Amino acid sequence: MASSFLTRKPDSGLGNIGASPADPSRNIDWVLMSVQMILTLSGCLVVFSASRTRIVDDPYAYATRQVIFTIVAIAVMVVVMTFDYESWKERAAFLYGLTLVVLVLLILLGVASGQDRISFDLGPFNVQPAEMAKFTTLLMLAAYLAQERSDEVSYPRFLGGLMIVGVPAVLIVLQPDLGSASVIISMAMGVLLVAGAKVRYIALISVLSVATVAAAFFGRLVDRYQITRLEALINPDGIDSDFTYQAENAMRAIGTGGLWGKGWLQGPLTNGRDIPVMWADFPFAAVGEQFGLIGCAAMLVLLGVALIRIWRIAHLSRDLLGTYICAGVFTMLLWQIFQNVGMTLQIMPVTGLPLPFISYGGSGLIVYFAMFGLVQSVHMRRMR
């Protein structure tokens, strides 16, 4: 049953104190907003520390771009928050369809060029449609499931939801981008579970997901380096050290940081070239080396607070649509944190999934700000 996991209480919670139900602007979750901004500012500092020695002529290159991405992301979040999330439900089908078209175009462009592509190159910036798919697929799935006002998801509606998620997930796997596809699938499982899908339905998603990935591997739809990454996790001793070098150094950076770290800009591995693209793929290692276990713990606590606030807002939602949106954002954020930190600690395969708000990248940052804008919209209008 939907209420088994989230029993919504529109008239309860700390956000009600002194709030006006008629004025959404007075019902912003400032705790969630503050945590989000602290994480983003920390991300800018981490990006600078990990990338400043990579471009000799311009040590601020990546950090400057990250600040620009942050400004754009804030503007996008404000726009999303301004509209009632119900209005985004009306735009869900169009945005979802547009995403599918863009994903197909990206695959066709890759076929035409003879190279795998996961983004459109627009001069100094890259646009990743897979990140856009996280936002639009969540909207479409939440809007679709909210049409059925029952305590559990019927089998026909479950199949419909599976198709909504399956099409973009398959297109993303074909890029190939297994990491982003796993985020969308995890989102689907979280939303369907909260919506009241039976356990055997969730098991079906798991089986189909594993089968899809297996088919992609055996059908040679993924690159050899992705297969090697999985082999490196299962049997690191049997793999050429060149493929495990980056992950091992990331783990080493955390270990050498000790309890308090070596200090900002003082990490040898962070400042060196032992961990390529550290600012995007392994920012957690940079935090560990410079700020130690205390810094890593503080960052995880902040991310944990964000998850708790999203879960709380799901409880306070005035309707199922808001609950499903929050459940989807919660699941995506949780999975992406686990995957990124896990690959740094060598308990998960290296996938290139960024650490939300910390890793360098415009598409991912903007999309997460947009999704947090949706969550804020749910909170701001929970009492109407």
Side-chain angles (χ1 to χ4, degrees):
M1 296 176 65
S3 59
S4 299
F5 293 90
L6 296 173
T7 303
R8 294 172 285 108
K9 302 176 181 178
D11 297 321
S12 67
L14 296 176
N16 291 334
I17 298 176
S20 171
D23 187 359
S25 64
R26 295 185 61 187
N27 290 278
I28 295 172
D29 188 333
W30 290 109
V31 174
L32 178 61
M33 183 79 73
S34 299
V35 167
Q36 181 183 354
M37 293 306 171
I38 292 172
L39 285 169
T40 304
L41 177 60
S42 301
C44 291
L45 295 176
V46 170
V47 168
F48 174 68
S49 67
S51 65
R52 68 189 182 94
T53 60
R54 308 306 173 94
I55 302 179
V56 179
D57 296 335
D58 187 4
Y60 298 95
Y62 288 103
T64 300
R65 292 181 188 179
Q66 190 72 356
V67 171
I68 294 173
F69 295 151
T70 300
I71 294 172
V72 174
I74 292 173
V76 170
M77 182 179 68
V78 171
V79 171
V80 174
M81 290 171 56
T82 301
F83 293 94
D84 191 324
Y85 61 96
E86 286 281 353
S87 65
W88 289 104
K89 175 182 177 182
E90 301 168 1
R91 299 174 173 85
F94 170 76
L95 294 173
Y96 176 79
L98 179 62
T99 301
L100 297 184
V101 171
V102 174
L103 287 172
V104 171
L105 287 176
L106 183 62
I107 293 175
L108 294 177
L109 182 61
V111 172
S113 63
Q115 297 179 338
D116 293 329
R117 302 180 68 97
I118 63 173
S119 64
F120 291 105
D121 298 330
L122 304 177
F125 304 107
N126 296 328
V127 177
Q128 290 184 271
E131 294 294 338
M132 175 183 174
K134 296 175 185 178
F135 181 85
T136 58
T137 305
L138 169 60
L139 269 183
M140 188 66 192
L141 180 63
Y144 175 76
L145 293 176
Q147 293 174 1
E148 187 175 74
R149 300 180 179 278
S150 61
D151 291 333
E152 63 180 36
V153 179
S154 63
Y155 188 67
R157 190 155 291 271
F158 169 78
L159 291 179
L162 201 60
M163 291 180 63
I164 289 173
V165 175
V167 175
V170 169
L171 291 175
I172 292 171
V173 168
L174 292 175
Q175 290 181 5
D177 185 356
L178 299 181
S180 295
S182 72
V183 175
I184 290 179
I185 292 170
S186 70
M187 176 272 293
M189 295 178 69
V191 174
L192 287 167
L193 187 63
V194 169
K198 297 179 179 179
V199 175
R200 65 173 180 268
Y201 296 170
I202 304 299
L204 178 60
I205 289 183
S206 302
V207 172
L208 290 176
S209 300
V210 173
T212 300
V213 173
F217 275 102
F218 288 112
R220 299 183 182 278
L221 298 176
V222 298
D223 292 331
R224 176 60 194 171
Y225 78 88
Q226 292 180 313
I227 299 176
T228 305
R229 284 176 171 179
L230 183 60
E231 293 174 346
L233 177 67
I234 299 173
N235 182 26
D237 295 332
I239 297 296
D240 191 315
S241 60
D242 290 342
F243 293 101
T244 59
Y245 180 77
Q246 183 172 350
E248 288 175 353
N249 276 323
M251 186 72 169
R252 201 170 118 225
I254 294 178
T256 57
L259 185 62
W260 295 101
K262 298 179 180 298
W264 189 50
L265 307 181
Q266 301 302 313
L269 290 171
T270 300
N271 294 332
R273 298 178 180 271
D274 300 287
I275 309 175
V277 202
M278 187 181 195
W279 52 93
D281 294 346
F282 292 94
F284 194 70
V287 174
E289 185 177 34
Q290 296 177 92
F291 303 104
L293 294 179
I294 298 297
C296 289
M299 181 167 290
L300 291 177
V301 166
L302 287 172
L303 289 167
V305 171
L307 287 168
I308 291 171
R309 299 303 290 189
I310 294 171
W311 186 259
R312 170 184 171 273
I313 293 171
H315 276 274
L316 300 178
S317 173
R318 71 187 182 191
D319 55 23
L320 291 175
L321 176 63
T323 299
Y324 297 158
I325 287 174
C326 292
V329 176
F330 177 93
T331 310
M332 280 192 280
L333 180 62
L334 179 62
W335 172 251
Q336 207 156 326
I337 293 169
F338 174 74
Q339 171 59 40
N340 184 274
V341 175
M343 74 182 190
T344 305
L345 300 178
Q346 293 185 293
I347 61 174
M348 294 292 288
V350 177
T351 60
L353 270 181
L355 184 60
F357 305 110
I358 306 299
S359 290
Y360 169 83
S363 298
L365 186 65
I366 291 170
V367 166
Y368 261 102
F369 265 74
M371 290 193 294
F372 271 52
L374 278 178
V375 172
Q376 288 285 5
S377 182
V378 173
H379 187 267
M380 290 162 65
R381 296 164 179 85
R382 71 195 184 281
M383 297 173 63
R384 281 190 172 185

